[in-house]
Structure formats: C-alpha cells, structure tokens
Amino acid sequence: MDDAARSIIRRKTRNIHPTALALILFCFCSFAGSTSFGQDWVKTGTGLGVEKVRLAVPDFKASTSDAQNTALVKTFNDTLWNDLDVSGVVELVSKSFYPLQVPGQPPEINYLAWNAPPPNAAMLAFGNLGVASGKLTVQAWLYDVKNLQSPPVLAKQYSDTASDAAARMVAHKFADEIIFRLGGGIQGIAETQVYFSSDRSGHKEIWAMDYDGSNQHQLTHLSSIALAPRISPDGSRIAFSALTKTGWEIMMYSLDLNRLVNFPHFGGTNLSPAWSADGLRLALSSSRSGEPEIYVADASGGNLRRMTTDKGPDVSPTWNRKTNGQIAFVSGRTGLPQIYTMEADGTNQQRMTDQGYAVSPNWSPNGQFLVFAWVRKYGPGEPGASDLYLMDTASKQWVQLTHDGGRNDFPSWSPDGRHIVFQSNRSGTLQIWSMLADGTKVQQLTFTGHNEGPNWSWK
Amino acid sequence: MELEIVNNFVWPQREALGSQEEYVRQLNAKWFLLILGLSAFLTLSACGKKKAPPPPPPAPPPPAPTASISVNPSSIQSGQSASLTWQTSNATDVSIDGIGAVQPNGSQSVSPTDSTTYHLVAKGAGGTQEATARLTVTAPPPPPPPPTPTVTDEDLFGQNIKDVYFDYDKSDIRADQQSSIQANVQFLSQHPNVNFTIEGHCDERGSTEYNLALGDQRANSVKNALTAAGISPSRIKTISYGKEKPFCNESNEACWQQNRRGHFVYQK
C-alpha cells in the first residue's frame, strides 16, 4: 500500500472512536514490492507506538487439598493465560520475571515485587481455586499494582460443579472481565463458539468448538456433504448448505432442540446462507431460476426475493452487521470472481476489488471493513497464494493480513472485531486457524481430519 | 378265459397245413360232436325237470373294440413334452405300456428322455385292439455358446457419451468440446429412453462456495447445449459437486483439467 492510501485510511479512521481505531486497526501491513524482498514483509501502521497494559498473571493457587485440584488448576491457568494472550488487549509479562512468592489472596501481594522491573507490571491478576464436596470455587482478583492508594479493580468469586469444562468456563468468564476493563469496554470473546465443517467422521458434517479450539463436537449426522455453517445472531440456529437427494439445499439446525428443523427446498443449487444482523432475514445464493443469483428470504425461508440478475455466478453474501442495510457478495459477472456490495434491496451494486480472484467476504462487526480471500495476481507465471485481505469499504483501501503461504480462505470475524477465524492448508492439510485482525497471534485450532468454513458466533 | 380258449382252439386250425389237414378236420369234428353232445345232455337233463323256456334269441356277436393313439408332435427334443391322445370304443379295459390303465378316451402330456413307442391295448367283449404311436426324442442341441453379454443402454451410454471439459473459471462450451456435444446429441437422439445426470465439477483452486456455483453453471451450460440440439430437458438432471468430488488429486494443470468437467452419469 502506498503512503497516500495509508493517509486516506488514517483520515478515515480518525472519525471513529479512538479505542476502536486502536483495537481494530492498530496495524497495517505492507508488502515490499521489489522482487529481492519477495518473501519479506514489513509491519508498519497506526497505533504501533501505543503501549499495551502490562499484565502479570501468576498461576492461581489451590485453596483445598482435594484430589481433583491439580488437574483443574492446570486447566484454569492454561485457559486464562491463553485467553489473555490471544486477546491482543494486554501485554502479558513473561512468567520468568515473576517473584518466587506469588499471591493467592490480596494480603499476600508484595507490590514492589510486581510494579518494579523486571516484571514492571501495571496490572496483576491472581487468585485461588479449590474443590470441596464436588464443588469448584474460584476467587479471582485484578489489582492495579501501580496504584497503591486503591489497587483493586476486580474481585470475583465463581462456583460451579467441579469439572474440567467448568474450570475452563470460569477462566473464560474471568478473562472476559479483565478484557472488558482493560480493552476499552468491548466484550471479550472467551465464551464464544466457532462452527465449522469437518470430515473427521467420514463425511463433511457441521461441528462446533469453543473459540480456543477446545470442546470440539459434532452436531449433524447427515452422511452427505454439509458445508459452511452460519450461526444466527441470537445463537439459536445454524443455517448451512448440504447435498440432499434433490441437490444442494439450505438446511437449518436448532441448537435449542439439537436437531434439524424445517426449511423449504428452493430447487437448483442453494448455497451460502447469511444471517442479517437482526436475525430476521437470510441472504443466500440460488440457481433455481438458472444462474446462481443472490436472494433474500425471511428467516423461515418464506418470501424469497431475487436481488441480482447478471450472468455469471453470484454467491457468498454477507450482511453489513452494523447497518443491516448492505450486502457484500462474490460475483463472476466479469470473469474471475470479485467482491461486490449492494443495498439489501439489490440496488447500487458496486465492485470493490479490481483484479485477481476475490472470494468469501465477511463484514466486520463495526461495519467498516470487509475481510476476504484474494489471489491478487492470478495468471500464468503468477502462482500467487490465496491470502486474507482487509478492505475499508468506504475508501476501498486494503491491507494484506496473511503472508505465510498456503491457501487461506473463509475468514469470519469474532464479535469483538479483534479476531478473525479462517481456514488454511499452511500446515499441509486444511485446518481452522485464528488470528488477531492485524494478522498476528496466529493459532491453529483444529488438527484432526480436514476442517473448513469456520463461522464465529455473534456473542 | 372263454375268449382265450376260443383263441387257443383256433390257433391249431390255422397252423394245420398240407397232409395233416384232413386229420385235423376229423379231430375238430370229434371235438365238435363231443361238445355238442355234452350240451344236448345238459340241456335235456335240465328240461326234464321244467318246462323248457323258449330258446333265447341268439346273442349278436359283441362288436370288436376299436383303438387309435397319436402323439403330437411326433418328434421332440429331450426335455420337451408332447401330447399323447387316444380314442377307443367298445373297450372295457384300456392300458398303455409304460403308463398303465387309462380312461377309454384321453390325452396326457409326456416327456420321455428316449424315443418311446406307446402301445395301447384296448380289450372289450368283442376282442382286443391294439394301436401304437411312436414319439421320437432327439438329443438336445449343443448348449448355445455362452451368450455374448447383453449390451444395455447403460453400457452403450458409458461407451459413447463423452464428458465435456472446461477452461479455468469458465462455464462456456469450449470450441474443442463441441464435437463431444455433437456425439452426445447423436447418441441421445438414438436412445430416447435414456435419462441422465450432468455433474458440474471444478478444480481445487478457489473457494468451496464459488466452485459449487461455478459447477452449477457448467452443468447447466452442458444441459443447455443438449436441449438446444433437441434433447428433451425432462431427461436431464443437473448437480454441482464443485471441488467436493475430484477425479484427480494432484496439484498440476493436467489434473486440474481432468477435474474441470461436465460429467455424464446414466440414470437408472
């Protein structure tokens, strides 16, 4: 990206809330165009000089002597650390800098041992947990160790039936509390879910997992091909596309009932359902009238209305989650697929990408950005990988998020707008990965079978 | 038994030849007189006790039985059957060798393994009549050579129908694929009962969803080319597999070309 483009984005982003700016766009990446630096990339951008809060998180202590303590303490500490580490909101102080004596309760804090170098922590999260009579009790605090007059920021107590899942859930809840306080008031994502398609049962079925990759479990048992689940905004239903006896149809799975619920068959090839932000409508691609076109239906499947009429495949719609008034989609009307936007009634169709092969758009929660997969330089002698790009929809300026090879596709935003989950074959097989929206903190979430088409829950 | 006696009595008469003829005549006369005398004695002795009834009218000689038997057809192959039909009259006891006693008139299906002569004997008060019918059984023809497997429409479909290949990201019929379309149209016109599915396939590059949409267009593109040439659309189903069911799994152009196709599948 050239300097002019970056300054446009700076000007543009100055209008939004400064914390949101810092969180969502805290860095842009730029490709060094010269061939001699073909494999290098340099990180530049806004907000790079802003220091994140230095947070120390010593391991929680066991408060009882129950046999279950050891396992649950480890689960809790690992989960809490990972949640805070990938949040992008804080800078975790390395445990190697911690004093030998760590607190399990407020009276045990030695402030000087924490707020001065080497830890030089601004914040300290600590506490204890223990099992008694099958019940897990967690006491957790967040202290501002540099504010000796009034250090307590958070004091929480959780209790639940003692289990590994409960220890993980309590860690997620406490991590979200910290991120909410230190991250400018944006809700954390530690309790969110990711839905995806996996073939590890022998067929591509719809699966679910916690956002950090734990608790992976199968939802559908169709023994066919089920692809690209999209969770409703209220988290109650999953729309997806599956191969039925009569072709590809939209199917609906209820997470309340844990089974498929009725949804009409439209005929032709029906793909890529996408929920409107209010959960009342679905955009989808259907070839019921011949060509694959974008349609909008009520959430029940009724009142189907055609939005596009051009030649060439139209597929993969995504709603503007902020305004609920626009839809971005992929169209092959001019040849190789490109990203387009339109009003939700089909008017004002505009092309967003100028070249290459651009697919799988997903609109950011704040409505400002599209993330999508792009092979920018497709053609003979240009083997270009499919990478993820972020585009400001108003200016059409973009930045590249992935650089590490492999085919990266199907990005989906986390509800806090800080993370993106996507599929990549960079490890050799197709798996689900997550990263911060600036391309850092890349984590592999799935390892078994082939996994694709991730979709992050709305809350 | 009486009949046999008469027969036995008659036989020597028939066999008397040449110089013995006179002697036999005398012998017969003696026998005749003896029987006559015996009869008269018996008759007279009976009459001596009662008034003699008027002599009965002489009984007419019983009619001789008739018999006929036929088999239709007269020649069969082993394993086949023929219809055996017979008629008799004035017979009280009818039998066929190898079958046994039968009704005076009747028919029966027979399927002997060897040639058989059906010998009918009809016995009645008036004598015995015989009839025969011969059924010739020929060896079955040599087993036919193992039948050449029946060529079904499905086989012909597989041999004659050609898949249609596409350029990258394209769904229009390439010029070099028109001959395949024409050959398919010709075959499908000659086999109007054949229904089929056209599967749209894509190579591994690009997104799952876009490729499913592209595969849908490829399948419909082939369908449209066929219907434009007069093939009824009611015979054609289309389905897109995108890149879900590749024919070839390598990442090179030769393999990708194999996967970019409209694939024909016979519909049973």
Side-chain angles (χ1 to χ4, degrees):
Chain A
M1 185 184 331
D2 59 29
D3 288 346
R6 196 174 303 119
S7 71
I8 288 170
I9 290 184
R10 278 213 196 94
R11 209 164 50 240
K12 190 76 206 159
T13 52
R14 209 164 284 150
N15 297 331
I16 64 171
H17 194 279
T19 51
L21 168 65
L23 292 166
I24 295 154
L25 251 194
F26 45 79
C27 115
F28 279 140
C29 314
S30 170
F31 222 152
S34 130
T35 50
S36 58
F37 297 101
Q39 294 303 311
D40 297 335
W41 51 284
V42 180
K43 204 168 155 184
T44 63
T46 58
L48 289 181
V50 177
E51 275 191 32
K52 290 186 231 171
V53 174
R54 282 178 67 81
L55 172 66
V57 189
D59 283 349
F60 278 47
K61 290 180 167 177
S63 58
T64 65
S65 53
D66 193 279
Q68 275 185 279
N69 276 354
T70 313
L72 296 189
V73 166
K74 177 168 174 27
T75 295
F76 179 92
N77 285 328
D78 289 351
T79 305
L80 179 64
W81 183 272
N82 184 64
D83 283 350
L84 295 168
D85 185 33
V86 302
S87 72
V89 170
V90 296
E91 180 182 349
L92 287 179
V93 179
S94 168
K95 285 185 178 177
S96 60
F97 294 151
Y98 293 2
L100 290 177
Q101 301 296 322
V102 299
Q105 298 190 57
E108 298 170 15
I109 299 178
N110 176 356
Y111 289 92
L112 197 61
W114 292 100
N115 64 15
N120 194 23
M123 292 281 172
L124 180 68
F126 63 98
N128 60 77
L129 71 160
V131 178
S133 313
K135 202 172 159 190
L136 172 70
T137 302
V138 180
Q139 291 182 300
W141 292 270
L142 179 67
Y143 267 46
D144 182 344
V145 288
K146 293 201 172 177
N147 181 353
L148 299 179
Q149 271 69 47
S150 176
V153 178
L154 265 176
K156 286 280 173 183
Q157 176 160 324
Y158 306 88
S159 61
D160 202 341
T161 311
S163 71
D164 192 68
R168 190 178 288 116
M169 183 50 66
V170 170
H172 285 328
K173 285 179 186 293
F174 185 53
D176 276 354
E177 293 280 358
I178 294 171
I179 291 163
F180 182 73
R181 297 297 187 294
L182 304 184
I186 294 178
Q187 295 291 340
I189 54 158
E191 294 173 71
T192 57
Q193 297 279 301
V194 172
Y195 300 92
F196 58 103
S197 172
S198 177
D199 72 352
R200 68 186 81 169
S201 69
H203 297 274
K204 287 186 179 177
E205 303 279 6
I206 305 303
W207 286 61
M209 62 182 170
D210 295 350
Y211 94 104
D212 59 0
S214 59
N215 190 26
Q216 301 189 13
H217 57 283
Q218 185 175 350
L219 296 178
T220 65
H221 297 83
L222 297 170
S223 298
S224 168
I225 304 175
L227 292 174
R230 263 83 160 194
I231 180 73
S232 63
D234 65 358
S236 68
R237 279 170 294 169
I238 301 169
F240 61 100
S241 185
L243 187 59
T244 70
K245 283 176 189 160
T246 55
W248 290 92
E249 294 288 355
I250 307 299
M251 306 199 88
M252 194 68 76
Y253 184 89
S254 166
L255 287 163
D256 296 333
L257 303 171
N258 291 318
R259 62 171 172 82
L260 291 172
V261 292
N262 274 345
F263 196 83
H265 285 198
F266 296 136
T269 294
N270 299 279
L271 303 165
S272 61
W275 294 92
S276 63
D278 56 13
L280 299 178
R281 285 174 289 172
L282 280 169
L284 56 100
S285 168
S286 177
S287 69
R288 65 201 310 262
S289 61
E291 299 262 340
E293 307 282 1
I294 304 295
Y295 287 74
V296 172
D298 294 345
S300 64
N303 199 15
L304 191 66
R305 302 171 308 278
R306 181 169 166 175
M307 295 295 146
T308 59
T309 55
D310 57 281
K311 275 193 72 68
D314 291 345
V315 73
S316 304
T318 177
W319 294 75
N320 183 328
R321 289 159 69 159
K322 181 82 168 181
T323 67
N324 208 27
Q326 289 89 40
I327 294 172
F329 60 101
V330 175
S331 178
R333 62 187 64 176
T334 61
L336 290 172
Q338 304 293 330
I339 308 292
Y340 288 73
T341 59
M342 64 180 175
E343 302 302 311
D345 62 3
T347 60
N348 192 25
Q349 298 190 14
Q350 292 197 9
R351 181 167 163 176
M352 304 300 285
T353 48
D354 54 355
Q355 67 181 76
Y357 186 111
V359 290
S360 309
N362 189 252
W363 218 311
S364 69
N366 72 355
Q368 190 179 356
F369 304 106
L370 286 171
V371 62
F372 55 94
W374 205 359
V375 185
R376 260 187 66 69
K377 292 184 178 173
Y378 175 79
E382 298 275 7
S386 169
D387 276 307
L388 300 184
Y389 288 77
L390 189 70
M391 177 179 278
D392 175 59
T393 54
S395 67
K396 299 187 185 177
Q397 299 303 316
W398 48 264
V399 292
Q400 185 175 355
L401 299 181
T402 62
H403 307 261
D404 299 326
R407 294 198 198 100
N408 306 281
D409 198 357
F410 222 95
S412 173
W413 291 91
S414 67
D416 67 355
R418 292 183 184 124
H419 303 256
I420 291 167
V421 65
F422 60 102
Q423 67 183 43
S424 177
N425 66 354
R426 62 180 67 188
S427 67
T429 58
L430 195 58
Q431 301 295 345
I432 310 291
W433 296 68
S434 72
M435 64 181 179
L436 284 175
D438 66 352
T440 61
K441 292 281 182 197
V442 181
Q443 274 200 322
Q444 186 172 354
L445 302 181
T446 62
F447 298 88
T448 313
H450 298 87
N451 304 280
E452 62 180 295
N455 185 243
W456 211 312
S457 65
W458 298 58
K459 58 184 186 183
Chain B
M1 291 311 287
E2 194 183 2
L3 210 58
E4 282 184 16
I5 290 171
V6 170
N7 272 338
N8 290 342
F9 184 67
V10 170
W11 271 110
Q13 202 174 16
R14 281 185 190 162
E15 290 179 357
L17 294 169
S19 63
Q20 292 184 347
E21 194 169 306
E22 185 60 22
Y23 165 76
V24 171
R25 265 195 204 128
Q26 288 172 1
L27 194 67
N28 283 348
K30 280 181 188 170
W31 274 103
F32 187 71
L33 287 173
L34 182 65
I35 292 169
L36 196 63
L38 197 61
S39 302
F41 171 75
L42 287 172
T43 306
L44 288 175
S45 63
C47 287
K49 293 176 185 171
K50 286 186 200 171
K51 188 181 177 189
T66 63
S68 70
I69 186 167
S70 65
V71 63
N72 184 35
S74 61
S75 173
I76 60 169
Q77 289 176 0
S78 177
Q80 293 178 321
S81 61
S83 177
L84 191 65
T85 307
W86 62 92
Q87 285 95 35
T88 65
S89 61
N90 306 320
T92 55
D93 184 5
V94 182
S95 66
I96 300 173
D97 292 355
I99 294 177
V102 294
Q103 293 294 314
N105 297 299
S107 70
Q108 185 172 343
S109 177
V110 291
S111 56
T113 53
D114 296 315
S115 295
T116 305
T117 299
Y118 292 96
H119 181 219
L120 176 93
V121 177
K123 295 170 186 167
T128 296
Q129 187 67 45
E130 299 174 46
T132 58
R134 182 162 176 85
L135 176 60
T136 307
V137 178
T138 58
T148 50
T150 324
V151 180
T152 63
D153 277 351
E154 187 173 2
D155 296 327
L156 289 171
F157 186 89
Q159 290 158 16
N160 290 282
I161 289 291
K162 296 183 172 70
D163 285 355
V164 177
Y165 294 87
F166 292 90
D167 278 341
Y168 178 69
D169 195 53
K170 292 288 197 301
S171 59
D172 48 330
I173 307 290
R174 228 157 60 187
D176 69 342
Q177 298 297 308
Q178 291 292 350
S179 58
S180 297
I181 295 280
Q182 285 163 13
N184 292 348
V185 166
Q186 190 179 1
F187 174 85
L188 294 167
S189 304
Q190 291 163 353
H191 298 80
N193 295 324
V194 169
N195 295 332
F196 55 100
T197 300
I198 303 170
E199 300 177 354
H201 292 269
C202 304
D203 71 36
E204 62 174 342
R205 294 170 293 173
S207 83
T208 301
E209 290 179 350
Y210 188 76
N211 275 315
L212 281 168
L214 183 63
D216 184 78
Q217 284 213 312
R218 285 178 177 163
N220 277 311
S221 177
V222 177
K223 177 180 178 178
N224 292 341
L226 298 180
T227 54
I231 305 299
S232 165
S234 65
R235 299 168 59 189
I236 311 174
K237 282 186 182 174
T238 60
I239 182 78
S240 173
Y241 283 111
K243 56 177 179 175
E244 297 299 317
K245 296 195 171 178
F247 296 85
C248 177
N249 283 309
E250 293 161 34
S251 293
N252 56 53
E253 176 50 36
C255 188
W256 290 333
Q257 176 61 87
Q258 284 300 304
N259 291 336
R260 294 191 303 265
R261 69 164 96 178
H263 177 55
F264 285 76
V265 177
Y266 183 84
Q267 224 178 70
K268 285 171 185 156

